[in-house]
Amino acid sequence: MSTENPANPTPAVQHQDFIRQIVRDDLASGKHVAIHTRFPPEPNGYLHIGHAKAICLSFGIAREFNGWCNLRLDDTNPGKEDPEFVEGIKDDVRWLGFEWHELRHASDYFEVFYRAACKLIEDGVAYVDDLNAEEMREYRGTLTAAGRNSPHRERSVEENLDLFRRMRAGEFADGSKTLRAKIDMAAGNINLRDPALYRIRKIPHQNTGDAWPIYPMYDIAHALSDAMEGITHSLCTLEFEDHRPLYDWCVDKVDLPNHPELWESVVAAGLHAQPAKPRQIEFSRLNLSYCITSKRKLAQLVADHYVDGWDDPRMNTLRGLRRRGFTPAGLRLLIDRVGVSKQNSVIDYAVLEGCIREDLDATAARRMAVLEPLKLVLTNLPEGHEETLSFPNHPKNESFGTRQVPFSRELWIEREDFAEVPPKGFHRLKPEGEVRLRGVGIVKCEQVIKDADGNVVELHGTLDPETRSGLPGADRKVKGTIHWVSAKHAVAAEVRVYDRLFSVAAPDSEDDGKSWLDHVNPEAKRVLRGWLEPAAADVAPEQRFQFERLGYFVADRVDHRADAPVFNRTVTLRDTWARQAGN
């Protein structure tokens, strides 16, 4: 089976970090001739931004060293898992720019795990326990006090095998018996105090149906899955560091490479199997300010309707970020800049936004849109005046070409681009003031029209014809330039202005006596009825633009239609949060 994946070409530049150095050393010493990694999410929810780092690291290292990376679904917890999440995970990995070598499931190895457990019993290092969960916690001890042996710990091998086989046959009730490793109840690492390896759970599994009334615990399933797939470097976040001794214990005690009878079922099923001893290496997870990455809390946001679903653009799920208009390249740039270390830290959300802006500045074409419209009538142009102007699609890249933009006597401008009583330093439109209309010329505001309540509803002004493009007066200086959309040709659009879901940097902190839900930002979504130039409307879903002077926007991947445009704001042009904080 080839180790080269044409979907993951080797990049020109290799990164430097402690994990990649381990990989280089292992290749140089001959310990490994090829690098095999895996990304093993549990299909009990959609992936979030924290997973992006794990994806980029495991798939990226395989790509850089011309190895391969499996996508393995850790489906050992039936009842909480769903095929919908499986498809979502596959979609997200591909969206980020990666392709797996093989798609595997922990459930592919259920028979292997069962036979391995029987071997552990036969070797005298596993036993069936009758303690319930509460009693087991009591016997386990504390971080400062050793645990106590279960009264069932010294059952004979024959009795343990008999009980475990009866567990497998479905004879016992849920929770009534547990298979535990026999290690050391006085171990300083509490994970080694006779951890559970199997529990009874009579719940149908999405892949295996009712075949199994018992399911393996994560520690044994994860370790043996890695070994079965010949994973060379098993990359995990730091919370698994204390589990590594148990991971190694499971790998070593079962010893799959020297016991092919344990995995003959996998070969019989037609799956490639070349068991080997993997090495677990831990790295710090991606922590961002203004973010929640707990699956439980993300699910609560959905269930309690704080958001409109898992793909709500306010969510930091990968599906939500995609719908918001974040780019795979921008996320990969973030991961590159954050780097890989063993030091836990919190990255400012502004760093992520900056990476997205950097990518979109180079890749997003420009368009004009008005989100909070105020009409401007140019009274010195004739009724029915129309013309077409040529605009560059990207000011920094001629390869984007040009587009035709209609211009007429009546225009929409942003309401905030006019001030009847302008504050100090205001360089936009004001009574008797002048401003440059983007790509047109200089206009002067000569009349302010108000309704009966005194609200400004329309402006009348004149266009200085000598300042049109190509004429000598075009160089006349005015301090402000504003954008516009021809009212006659504008296309109405729903524009959803999104912002950070939480209003404080550490929503999980309860230092202020409030819960994390108290920090949900009520301004995180505003829905506006705006106007677009025609070239911004008739586009495919997920087309991204910079709406000039307003920010970066994307045609919504679900709701957008050419005849009923819907755009989401991805990110502002600059970091407005820093300014609000007084930085």
Side-chain angles (χ1 to χ4, degrees):
M1 193 169 291
S2 171
T3 60
E4 184 174 357
N5 192 331
N8 294 335
T10 303
V13 178
Q14 290 193 340
H15 302 88
Q16 300 293 331
D17 56 62
F18 79 98
I19 293 180
R20 287 174 170 89
Q21 191 56 53
I22 291 172
V23 171
R24 290 188 185 99
D25 292 345
D26 286 348
L27 288 171
S29 69
K31 180 179 179 180
H32 299 298
V33 296
I35 300 305
H36 303 159
T37 62
R38 85 292 170 265
F39 173 59
E42 183 180 355
N44 63 350
Y46 288 106
L47 302 182
H48 55 66
I49 192 167
H51 292 108
K53 182 175 181 179
I55 293 169
C56 289
L57 186 58
S58 290
F59 281 94
I61 284 178
R63 175 183 291 182
E64 289 167 37
F65 293 95
N66 199 29
W68 54 249
C69 181
N70 281 352
L71 173 61
R72 182 174 69 239
L73 285 307
D74 176 29
D75 55 349
T76 58
N77 195 12
K80 293 187 177 181
E81 298 160 357
D82 194 300
E84 176 187 338
F85 296 136
V86 172
E87 294 307 309
I89 288 167
K90 291 158 63 175
D91 190 43
D92 287 341
V93 170
R94 285 184 168 133
W95 176 71
L96 268 179
F98 300 102
E99 186 62 50
W100 49 89
H101 175 68
E102 286 187 289
L103 177 66
R104 293 291 180 99
H105 302 77
S107 55
D108 294 337
Y109 313 124
F110 277 177
E111 183 66 29
V112 178
F113 302 153
Y114 175 73
R115 293 187 183 188
C118 290
K119 176 184 182 296
L120 294 176
I121 294 171
E122 290 167 351
D123 291 345
V125 292
Y127 64 98
V128 174
D129 195 7
D130 294 353
L131 296 180
N132 61 35
E134 185 178 337
E135 291 168 334
M136 207 175 290
R137 280 192 296 271
E138 180 187 341
Y139 272 76
R140 186 175 293 127
T142 67
L143 293 175
T144 56
R148 294 177 291 143
N149 287 347
S150 165
H152 312 290
R153 195 174 194 264
E154 300 307 322
R155 279 174 164 155
S156 68
V157 168
E158 293 73 22
E159 184 180 4
N160 282 316
L161 273 177
D162 175 64
L163 290 170
F164 188 56
R165 287 167 179 157
R166 290 160 66 191
M167 287 170 59
R168 166 71 180 88
E171 185 174 328
F172 304 115
D174 282 16
S176 61
K177 295 187 186 298
T178 307
L179 182 70
R180 299 177 67 180
K182 186 186 291 189
I183 306 180
D184 181 4
M185 289 302 293
N189 184 339
I190 208 163
N191 293 296
L192 297 179
R193 295 183 186 176
D194 289 13
L197 300 178
Y198 261 91
R199 80 279 201 199
I200 301 173
R201 196 142 192 241
K202 295 178 180 176
I203 296 178
H205 188 280
Q206 62 268 24
N207 284 346
T208 60
D210 294 319
W212 293 91
I214 57 173
Y215 291 97
M217 303 300 289
Y218 173 84
D219 285 300
I220 187 171
H222 178 67
L224 297 187
S225 295
D226 282 350
M228 275 301 303
E229 293 171 25
I231 301 304
T232 58
H233 300 83
S234 176
L235 309 180
C236 303
T237 45
L238 280 176
E239 61 264 34
F240 294 102
E241 188 169 28
D242 288 342
H243 291 253
R244 192 192 329 139
L246 178 55
Y247 177 98
D248 290 338
W249 185 94
C250 291
V251 169
D252 292 339
K253 293 295 184 183
V254 173
D255 191 18
L256 286 171
N258 292 313
H259 291 275
E261 72 278 5
L262 300 180
W263 40 275
E264 60 188 9
S265 61
V266 173
V267 176
L271 296 177
H272 175 72
Q274 193 172 2
K277 182 174 180 177
R279 176 180 176 182
Q280 178 175 305
I281 307 170
E282 304 84 19
F283 61 92
S284 61
R285 63 190 301 168
L286 178 61
N287 296 308
L288 286 170
S289 61
Y290 297 94
C291 273
I292 291 286
T293 53
S294 158
K295 279 188 182 179
R296 177 182 61 80
K297 290 180 177 179
L298 291 172
Q300 187 175 346
L301 289 169
V302 175
D304 294 348
H305 304 293
Y306 285 91
V307 295
D308 300 325
W310 286 95
D311 67 344
D312 187 302
R314 290 167 289 184
M315 292 277 274
N316 57 34
T317 56
L318 294 184
R319 298 177 79 79
L321 296 176
R322 177 178 181 176
R323 193 170 177 187
R324 173 91 164 255
F326 281 34
T327 62
L331 291 176
R332 294 195 301 267
L333 180 59
L334 171 73
I335 304 308
D336 283 348
R337 291 200 171 150
V338 167
V340 181
S341 74
K342 278 188 172 285
Q343 184 65 44
N344 272 321
S345 61
V346 178
I347 307 302
D348 193 326
Y349 196 81
V351 176
L352 167 61
E353 292 177 321
C355 290
I356 301 301
R357 285 190 194 97
E358 187 171 328
D359 181 49
L360 290 174
D361 179 56
T363 59
R366 275 44 171 177
R367 296 290 186 265
M368 291 194 293
V370 173
L371 303 190
E372 300 189 64
L374 175 62
K375 183 166 283 189
L376 170 63
V377 180
L378 301 176
T379 57
N380 63 332
L381 296 180
E383 294 275 357
H385 175 84
E386 287 185 47
E387 59 182 289
T388 301
L389 307 176
S390 181
F391 275 62
N393 284 324
H394 199 296
K396 304 173 186 176
N397 191 335
E398 291 183 358
S399 70
F400 277 67
T402 61
R403 70 189 189 279
Q404 302 303 300
V405 179
F407 172 70
S408 63
R409 183 175 187 264
E410 296 187 1
L411 309 173
W412 294 115
I413 66 170
E414 288 291 345
R415 184 167 290 275
E416 67 172 18
D417 282 338
F418 170 77
E420 191 171 15
V421 182
K424 184 178 179 180
F426 187 82
H427 298 309
R428 287 164 282 171
L429 207 55
K430 56 189 175 184
E432 301 303 316
E434 290 185 320
V435 74
R436 185 178 299 279
L437 279 183
R438 166 91 167 88
V440 179
I442 295 173
V443 298
K444 181 177 181 179
C445 178
E446 297 179 329
Q447 187 178 4
V448 179
I449 313 297
K450 298 183 179 181
D451 62 16
D453 297 322
N455 300 309
V456 177
V457 294
E458 192 169 291
L459 305 176
H460 288 184
T462 54
L463 169 65
D464 182 349
E466 298 300 319
T467 63
R468 299 296 302 269
S469 179
L471 297 179
D475 293 332
R476 182 160 73 83
K477 303 296 183 185
V478 290
K479 287 189 174 179
T481 299
I482 64 173
H483 65 281
W484 52 273
V485 174
S486 168
K488 182 175 183 179
H489 306 91
V491 179
E494 178 178 315
V495 181
R496 301 162 181 172
V497 179
Y498 290 105
D499 209 338
R500 301 178 188 182
L501 182 55
F502 295 98
S503 55
V504 297
D508 261 335
S509 171
E510 298 182 355
D511 292 346
D512 57 2
K514 296 181 179 179
S515 82
W516 64 281
L517 288 171
D518 292 327
H519 297 301
V520 172
N521 178 13
E523 299 298 316
K525 178 184 179 181
R526 292 186 299 128
V527 180
L528 305 174
R529 297 296 298 177
W531 296 100
L532 312 178
E533 62 164 283
D538 190 9
V539 298
E542 295 197 89
Q543 180 71 46
R544 301 177 181 89
F545 295 110
Q546 183 195 104
F547 287 168
E548 296 192 24
R549 301 178 63 238
L550 298 176
Y552 294 99
F553 292 76
V554 66
D556 187 83
R557 67 187 300 238
V558 176
D559 298 328
H560 173 83
R561 302 195 318 270
D563 61 339
V566 178
F567 275 85
N568 303 326
R569 186 176 75 181
T570 303
V571 69
T572 54
L573 291 179
R574 287 168 294 279
D575 182 6
T576 57
W577 283 72
R579 188 167 68 246
Q580 291 167 7
N583 296 330

